[in-house]
Amino acid sequence: MYIGTIGPDDTSTVAANPSLKRILGYDDIAADTEVRPFDVDRFVDPKTRHALLERLVADGRVSNYLLRLRRVDGGFVWVELTGHAKANPKTGRLQVEGLLRDVSERKKLDDQSKEIYHQLLQAEKMAALGQTISGVAHELNNPLATILNWAERLTQKPALDPSVRRGCEIILGEAERAARTVRHLLTSARKRQTTRAMVDVNQVIRETLALRAYEQRGANISIVDALAATLPKIFADGHQVKQILLNLMINAEQAMLAAHGHGTLVLRTWHDTDRNNVTLEITDDGPGIPEQAQPKIFDPFFTTKEVGQGTGLGLTVVYAIVQEHGGQIRFESRPEKGTSFFVEFPVLGARAAMPATQSKTTADATKRAAILLVEDEAPLAAAVMDTLRDEGYTVDYAGDGEQALALVRRRSFDLVICDLKMPRLDGRAFFRTVSVEIPTLARRILFVTGDVAGTDAETFLEKSGCRWLAEPFRLAELLRAVREQLRA
């Protein structure tokens, strides 16, 4: 309970009961006149005080009016004010009688509910985006894979003119750049194949900082690390954790440089024993995220950067990876005060799956292997076949699943490299037929596909147990996968 007067710049208190004193952090024996909840310095946001006075003057009363006030111990409390006010025309002050209720716990629960709602909304956006990207990625990946593979083969020619070699290397580099963008799209849309193990988050941070050290020194970015000494390991994909760090660090660096030309980046880790998670904090002293942009920062293709300076996928990828690991990401940002991102990973008792024992054949036997390539993109197939033949493999070619079935029924193959999405008879239908007719061959199919974002494709690949390679791929990756599959 509160009775007193409120002026534009100061207040006076007539009566304040013990409950109000406790809410604001005073002792019960404190004098009523000392308890002034509506002083200017009690309001976390001074604009809120001005709005409250306007409301009391206009309506003469408020009901369940939400305020965030500063306690005497420096903490904060959310209260709801219900009361009435009468203006004194002589003094210009308001005579107020009201009840204040501590609603901090309810506000905390409300905020948590809103966070869950936003996470669900984001998940729906990602699911819708995944359906669209499935088809687009396949159409982009096939020509990209062809460009990558042919550029790679041309750069390996020993008697290539230097200017032509340089042109091929530029083509290869730009194609890889485009391929990375497609991979970012796929990562943001749906889970990707990952390799998980017990990961030391602090070690990943140190390795990532080492990668950025040269750029940070040149850009006048200072690093402050406060990494917990005894941090439990998490079950995660170390490369993807590094990708989270790189995306967040680069965003922070760019924001600080754009605003000040320099900056300080703070990295902290700690183990939250109550929630059993490892938390990573990345804080910058940049300009902060504009309030109107904050609800959209995880949305695909949303960016506050100039045209051509960003794809708007960095934070979307971060969000997708964190969700895939069963974690959470949140941020705090104030104008001109910088931004902090908090990434939480669960600490689980999971263990990495042990690789199956491999029965190795001799290198000579592997080189003599017969391989069937099933690929509807003829230019891509030509580059792959030439590469396999250069390695000493015997290679046959089929343009779709029906042609492939005709070939496997006539002769035996040690390995089938098969596209997942093809006309007439696709990779899934081919696999199902082979599983019935030639079950031993079904275990020796290596799928290549750029369409892993769709739920159907993911489910099929998981159930089949077959290894797969994401397009666009480098020829070296393909050869490594072929050798491993033949030795399995």
Side-chain angles (χ1 to χ4, degrees), residues 110-121:
D110 287 346
D111 290 343
Q112 290 175 348
S113 298
K114 289 178 182 177
E115 177 65 22
I116 293 171
Y117 169 76
H118 287 307
Q119 289 180 6
L120 291 172
L121 189 63

Side-chain angles (χ1 to χ4, degrees), residues 63-368:
S63 179
N64 298 327
Y65 195 92
L66 188 63
L67 298 168
R68 191 183 186 197
L69 301 179
R70 190 175 280 111
R71 290 164 48 93
V72 292
D73 58 8
F76 303 102
V77 62
W78 286 96
V79 299
E80 282 184 345
L81 170 64
T82 298
H84 57 85
K86 183 179 180 181
N88 186 326
K90 294 182 179 179
T91 63
R93 301 166 68 87
L94 293 170
Q95 296 176 338
V96 178
E97 296 179 3
L99 297 174
L100 288 88
R101 184 158 53 116
D102 185 350
V103 294
S104 299
E105 191 62 30
R106 193 196 74 193
K107 185 68 168 59
K108 180 180 176 181
L109 293 174
D110 287 346
D111 290 343
Q112 290 175 348
S113 298
K114 289 178 182 177
E115 177 65 22
I116 293 171
Y117 169 76
H118 287 307
Q119 289 180 6
L120 291 172
L121 189 63
Q122 186 71 16
E124 290 178 2
K125 291 179 184 177
M126 303 305 286
L129 179 67
Q131 296 298 318
T132 304
I133 286 177
S134 295
V136 174
H138 185 76
E139 294 304 318
L140 288 175
N141 274 325
N142 278 335
L144 275 175
T146 302
I147 295 167
L148 272 171
N149 293 170
W150 276 111
E152 188 177 356
R153 282 190 60 77
L154 288 172
T155 54
Q156 293 169 355
K157 298 291 183 183
L160 204 61
D161 180 86
S163 62
V164 176
R165 181 182 300 279
R166 182 173 177 276
C168 291
E169 289 172 349
I170 291 173
I171 292 170
L172 183 60
E174 291 302 295
E176 285 184 324
R177 178 184 171 194
R180 282 194 297 271
T181 300
V182 172
R183 282 194 289 271
H184 282 172
L185 283 168
L186 289 169
T187 302
S188 68
R190 185 71 65 177
K191 296 178 182 179
R192 296 288 307 277
Q193 187 183 40
T194 62
T195 302
R196 297 195 186 185
M198 299 310 293
V199 173
D200 183 343
V201 174
N202 286 347
Q203 182 61 29
V204 175
I205 292 173
R206 294 186 184 102
E207 292 173 359
T208 309
L209 286 173
L211 287 175
R212 298 294 304 164
Y214 178 79
E215 288 82 358
Q216 288 167 346
R217 282 196 300 270
N220 293 319
I221 300 294
S222 301
I223 301 297
V224 177
D225 70 80
L227 308 182
T230 55
L231 199 66
K233 292 184 177 181
I234 62 171
F235 187 60
D237 185 319
H239 294 291
Q240 290 192 333
V241 175
K242 187 174 292 186
Q243 185 176 5
I244 290 172
L245 280 163
L246 281 171
N247 285 4
L248 293 176
M249 286 171 61
I250 291 171
N251 276 357
E253 291 166 14
Q254 291 175 345
M256 290 186 292
L257 291 175
H260 315 304
H262 59 84
T264 299
L265 193 63
V266 180
L267 291 96
R268 296 186 181 91
T269 57
W270 66 87
H271 179 207
D272 187 335
T273 54
D274 293 335
R275 302 175 61 188
N276 199 26
N277 65 37
V278 166
T279 302
L280 161 65
E281 176 189 347
I282 299 178
T283 297
D284 65 65
D285 59 357
I289 302 171
E291 188 173 345
Q292 66 272 19
Q294 291 184 13
K296 307 175 187 176
I297 64 167
F298 294 115
D299 288 359
F301 308 113
F302 177 79
T303 179
T304 58
K305 299 174 184 175
E306 297 293 330
V307 175
Q309 297 298 310
T311 61
L313 290 171
L315 287 177
T316 307
V317 169
V318 168
Y319 182 91
I321 294 174
V322 172
Q323 291 293 303
E324 184 178 340
H325 281 76
Q328 291 187 351
I329 181 169
R330 57 187 175 84
F331 67 93
E332 296 175 0
S333 186
R334 291 186 296 165
E336 306 306 323
K337 297 292 185 181
T339 301
S340 296
F341 278 90
F342 303 88
V343 182
E344 300 173 358
F345 293 105
V347 177
L348 304 174
R351 292 178 296 177
M354 297 299 293
T357 303
Q358 295 180 343
S359 57
K360 296 185 179 180
T361 61
T362 64
D364 290 341
T366 299
K367 287 292 186 181
R368 292 195 297 269

